Amino acid sequence: MARVLRHLRFLLYTIAAILAGAGMLRAQQPLQPQWVVSIDFFGNHRYQQLFLTEQAGRLEGSFGADALTGALSGKQIHFTSRDQRGQLFDVVATVSGNTLSGELTITDTAKPPVIGRHALSGYAVPQRAPGPPRMVDFQPTRYFNQFSADIPAVFTIWPGDTIHTTTVDSGGVDEHGVTRALYGNPQTGPFYVGNAKAGDVLAVHIKRLRLNRDYADSLDAIASRVKDANLSIKAKDLGQNVRWHLDLERGVATPADASSHLKNFSVPLRSMLGCVAVAPDFGFAPFSTGDAGRYGGNMDYNDVVEGSTVYLEVTQPGALLYLGDGHAAMGDGETTEWGLETSMDVEFSVDVIPGKFISTPRVETTSHIAAVGLAGSIDDAAKMATSGMVQWLEQDYYLTPAESAQVLGSMAEYTISEVPDRNAGVVLRLRKDLLQKLKQN
């Protein structure tokens, strides 16, 4: 009898455990629909978006650009997808709340068997809150000196949201005069942009730029790229710090310890951002925040002001947007190696333009469209700017190369935007009021 009771008791415990487990499954948090997955390729991390929908344990969605099918069993997901080359991707992972970890197996169907197994991890992207676009106040606690996809996003934003935040100056000093970061254009961000994916274009709308302190720092230097031998001799002792006073009421900047010849000298304040960037593509090392390229970066184009929009090619999930390097004013080219470097209050919003390729950063102001060329020489930067503008005219105004040539020959405006850095900057801009007549045809 005792033996029968023990078996009965075991059976009851088993049934209770099964029922409890079923209750846990019912109470389990629904599978998140959007993830960012990191694949470890021999110590190099490739990031891809993962979209999942689940119904009765069946999974559908996309892994990168490829459709997937699979199954959910408890906390384990198993799915497969195939790319355009015929490679088969097989993922087995365990979900724990808003994270997952597992393994990716890649099989080349043209050359079986398995060609690689790689560790995989990921996190769920926070979903957009219901209701209208938000006004978000983001107060940074850390700043970064690289444009990198390996830096976790500090916040998720969505197209239409308005973000208010702050930047430190190029030396890492905030509005209170406190050093908060390493010198060298430390950046606010990166911000993950919901729904932005590789192959899209990110439009960054600079809605408001405000100076938040009454001084800026610059140099008395002249950049090497614009000095001949004679000037280099005359300027050999230059490169000293110059403090500028920012008169926010009068809207002018003056040298704080002006020499006799400059005691009446002042320049209008014109707040601008030297750096707007997205994370570079897989295969590229992180870029210094002193550098610039197709991803944007330290472009130092002095028309990135309040009311401007910067367009950048997206190559990473969520784009990963960085901003920083505020200037109270700066002449074309940043010839002194520093503009009037200062901290800034920034308000911006973003839009995502799906499936559009641009070959170089673009800037749109209230009066002009501008293609930004960035290369190792001014000549090559000018070529990139010209090619980028012709692409813009072809995409948005439907012009042939012959028609674009006529437009450029009659109204092109070239500006040298950056000379001290590794990559020089040349900007080609066109007046929007004249281009508007093309759209009326």
Side-chain angles (χ1 to χ4, degrees), residues 99-112:
T99 64
L100 61 81
S101 61
E103 186 177 73
L104 165 68
T105 302
I106 303 175
T107 304
D108 189 333
T109 55
K111 298 178 181 179

Side-chain angles (χ1 to χ4, degrees), residues 2-200:
R3 187 173 181 181
V4 171
L5 289 174
R6 284 198 300 271
H7 280 294
L8 181 60
R9 190 181 301 117
F10 176 77
L11 180 60
L12 291 173
Y13 279 137
T14 302
I15 294 171
I18 292 172
L19 292 174
M24 288 176 63
L25 287 176
R26 285 195 299 270
Q28 183 175 317
Q29 183 179 5
L31 186 65
Q32 293 295 313
Q34 184 175 347
W35 300 77
V36 174
V37 171
S38 172
I39 305 163
D40 187 344
F41 285 103
F42 310 104
N44 303 284
H45 294 276
R46 181 166 194 160
Y47 300 92
Q48 289 194 174
Q49 283 164 316
L50 172 64
F51 291 91
L52 295 173
T53 59
E54 182 264 336
Q55 187 171 10
R58 179 179 174 82
L59 292 178
E60 293 184 344
S62 60
F63 184 49
D66 306 308
L68 68 84
T69 58
L72 170 68
S73 178
K75 293 184 177 182
Q76 187 174 79
I77 59 174
H78 179 200
F79 66 81
T80 60
S81 68
R82 192 181 301 274
D83 68 10
Q84 293 179 346
R85 296 169 52 197
Q87 290 191 118
L88 180 67
F89 298 89
D90 190 309
V91 171
V92 177
T94 300
V95 177
S96 177
N98 291 325
T99 64
L100 61 81
S101 61
E103 186 177 73
L104 165 68
T105 302
I106 303 175
T107 304
D108 189 333
T109 55
K111 298 178 181 179
V114 170
I115 63 170
R117 287 189 174 91
H118 306 278
L120 173 146
S121 61
Y123 64 90
V125 177
Q127 294 303 289
R128 182 169 198 162
R134 303 171 299 167
M135 172 70 79
V136 177
D137 185 21
F138 176 78
Q139 295 298 322
T141 58
R142 295 185 63 196
Y143 303 87
F144 299 96
N145 289 72
Q146 290 183 329
F147 302 119
S148 171
D150 292 328
I151 298 173
V154 296
F155 195 75
T156 298
I157 62 177
W158 294 87
D161 291 346
T162 297
I163 313 301
H164 173 266
T165 189
T166 59
T167 65
V168 292
D169 69 18
S170 63
V173 180
D174 69 10
E175 66 270 29
H176 304 296
V178 178
T179 300
R180 301 277 304 281
L182 181 68
Y183 61 87
N185 298 337
Q187 299 290 294
T188 298
F191 298 95
Y192 186 98
V193 179
N195 294 338
K197 61 185 184 301
D200 295 340

